[in-house]
Amino acid sequence: MGFARACSVALVGVEGVVVEVQADLEPGVAAFTLVGLPDKSLVESRDRVRAAVVNSGAEWPQKKLTVGLSPASVPKSGSGFDLAVACAVLGAAERIDPAAIADVVMIGELGLDGRVRPVRGVLPAVLAAAEAGYRQVVVPEQTAGEAALVPGVSVLGVRSLRQLIAVLGDEPVPEEPVADRGRPDSMLAGLMMPGAGVGTGLAPFAARGGDSHRPDLSEVAGQHRPRKALEVAAAGGHHLLLSGPPGAGKTMLAERLSAILPPLTRQESLEVTAVHSVAGILPPGEPLVTRAPYCAPHHSATMQSLVGGGNGLPRPGAVSLAHRGVLFLDEAPEFSGRALDALRQPLESGHVVVARAAGVVRLPARFLMVLAANPCPCGRHTLSGAGCECPPSMIRRYQSRLSGPLLDRVDLRVEVEPVNRADLMGRGGRGETTAEVAARVRVARERAAERLAGTPWTTNSEVPGHELRTRLLVAPGALFAAERDMERGVLTARGLDRVLRVAWTVADLRAADRPDASDIAVALELRTGIQRGVPMEAGAP
């Protein structure tokens, strides 16, 4: 009787569970049994592993073979267990030393010819292995850079099972042919989810042409008030609603928001990269996402595609793909009511919990939401002489698609007016560039982070209302206008807290120690849309 074990990782959402792959050989009729709650693609690994072992020059044991995946209660899916299964079988057959693979985590799919193919989710899998105390990881060569992002883990990238057998047995490592560089590498197909390429708006700008084609704020004509709101949203992480007629520039503004956000920290980059790796939208050659992501789902998106779902264990939705970045919902009233209301919980908590029959998954979802909406179905309701023929009942029904509880979670609500001829032709002067605005945003974020040092919060939008009312106090008498609006029913209790958060962001942008009456007035105007007579140009103190 022979026995050996290796380790791999099962992904549940964007978190990993270390799985022990055990192989047992006993005398009897040659058979291969795989147990431990595998899915269809994992059951098929029996044939893949057998062919890969034989084509790698090793002998397949002609005995009764049982491979167990422990813990058996955790659902296991995907082809990333192939490498661990093959090594456990070879260890049980004494082709390799069982002690050499007992504490090694192996992740990778095997081709019939023995080549090791990359799989999605390598970074969260290696993170889970490191947290469980494992220090040696074997991954496909193409994903070695992604696995190396985890500190304290020794990563071995292999191109074939033949190479891994030689390394484990202290034998000369054979050379493997390199793919033709004149054509795309077919081995990378396992890393990308079909339909998640450069045409979906999910791939980073670098994959769509690099920095030379990044949208710039200077291309936006006029729109001083919306530009100011964009800067405040980026500096404090506040949600934003842009309403106005078609062609006013709402989409242009939203597309430029992610570029003025500060670069991601190391921890934030690992979180975003882990989600994108599992979702299959991590570009090959870019193992670490360092810029804030931008996700713009179509208005026909279902609730499951927004918050996460799918067959079996839930997969990340748009709110998770936009984690630490921007989620832009263009034509927001055209989204289904169920889909929009499902955003209310992640907007408050920063994560989404999806419960399905196969299990419960907690996915990260701390994003900056931007809504864009027209005033009516035809979009001409606010334009004088434009000929809007929408009846009042249709306009009310259209505007009510954005529910009150959802809008109450939006800090900034700005009317985007049509661009006049002087601004469009450049006579009003060129607006500030993305770099200039991003510099102010970065300084404001640093001020907020310094003030919130020692707390679990890093941006003003995360600070609870109790802290704002008891510890982070504004200037004396500054809240008079906000308290009056609350008594009149213009503001709710949550709305007052959000006005305070925006006021702190405005104060950070002008390098003030704490908000005064003018900062509160700016915050009230950005939330209610009621003119307060304060300067709103970008960069104004």
Side-chain angles (χ1 to χ4, degrees), residues 108-475:
E109 176 186 336
L110 286 176
L112 300 184
D113 56 354
R115 290 183 300 170
V116 181
R117 302 180 63 93
V119 294
R120 296 190 296 269
V122 167
L123 177 59
V126 178
L127 284 170
E131 292 176 359
Y134 292 87
R135 293 294 175 260
Q136 291 181 304
V137 178
V138 178
V139 297
E141 186 181 53
Q142 293 86 346
T143 57
E146 184 181 343
L149 296 173
V150 182
V153 176
S154 175
V155 178
L156 172 62
V158 295
R159 196 175 300 165
S160 68
L161 178 60
R162 188 183 300 106
Q163 287 185 337
L164 180 57
I165 294 173
V167 170
L168 294 174
D170 291 330
E171 303 170 2
V173 179
E175 290 292 332
E176 295 291 345
V178 181
D180 184 6
R181 298 302 181 186
R183 61 182 181 181
D185 189 357
S186 61
M187 299 283 284
L188 300 177
L191 293 177
M192 297 295 291
M193 179 71 72
V198 298
T200 60
L202 297 176
F205 285 109
R208 288 181 267 167
D211 292 339
S212 60
H213 296 88
R214 288 177 65 88
D216 197 276
L217 266 177
S218 61
E219 301 166 355
V220 179
Q223 305 297 3
H224 301 296
R225 190 178 302 270
R227 287 172 63 102
K228 176 69 173 181
L230 212 67
E231 181 177 340
V232 173
H238 306 289
H239 306 304
L240 173 63
L241 168 63
L242 300 172
S243 58
K250 302 186 294 296
T251 303
M252 284 188 67
L253 289 163
E255 287 178 343
R256 286 150 179 79
L257 177 56
S258 62
I260 64 176
L261 292 175
L264 300 177
T265 64
R266 176 72 177 185
Q267 180 61 33
E268 292 172 346
S269 294
L270 290 176
E271 294 175 5
V272 174
T273 303
V275 175
H276 287 201
S277 178
V278 171
I281 61 172
L282 191 64
E286 293 186 22
L288 185 65
V289 178
T290 58
R291 292 171 175 165
Y294 171 83
C295 185
H298 191 260
H299 62 258
S300 62
T302 62
M303 183 184 72
Q304 289 77 11
S305 67
L306 282 181
V307 301
N311 297 326
L313 286 174
R315 299 184 60 82
V319 296
S320 297
L321 299 180
H323 180 58
R324 301 294 182 183
V326 177
L327 176 67
F328 176 47
L329 303 182
D330 200 3
E331 305 293 344
E334 299 295 341
F335 282 80
S336 71
R338 290 182 66 240
L340 290 175
D341 287 337
L343 299 176
R344 286 152 56 176
Q345 183 252 345
L347 284 175
E348 289 288 334
S349 62
H351 63 268
V352 58
V353 178
V354 184
R356 294 292 186 270
V360 179
V361 173
R362 185 180 186 270
L363 301 169
R366 187 167 297 282
F367 55 90
L368 198 164
M369 182 180 68
V370 180
L371 303 175
N374 294 328
C376 68
C378 73
R380 300 190 296 269
H381 176 61
T382 57
L383 298 178
S384 58
C388 174
E389 298 180 354
C390 300
S393 59
M394 182 182 293
I395 296 175
R396 286 194 302 270
R397 187 164 56 250
Y398 180 80
Q399 294 178 349
S400 66
R401 293 180 182 176
L402 298 178
S403 65
L406 176 65
L407 290 180
D408 201 33
R409 290 166 167 82
V410 178
D411 301 340
L412 313 174
R413 308 172 190 177
V414 181
E415 186 74 25
V416 184
E417 303 290 343
V419 182
N420 57 47
R421 183 175 60 182
D423 287 334
L424 188 61
M425 302 307 295
R427 299 171 188 170
R430 180 183 173 89
E432 290 183 301
T433 64
T434 294
E436 294 171 332
V437 178
R440 286 200 302 270
V441 169
R442 185 170 58 253
V443 172
R445 287 262 184 140
E446 291 172 354
R447 289 182 61 87
E450 182 180 354
R451 181 175 63 253
L452 299 174
T455 70
W457 318 296
T458 55
T459 60
N460 293 322
S461 62
E462 301 172 8
V463 181
H466 176 74
E467 291 287 322
L468 294 169
R469 296 188 298 271
T470 58
R471 191 170 69 88
L472 302 176
L473 300 178
V474 301

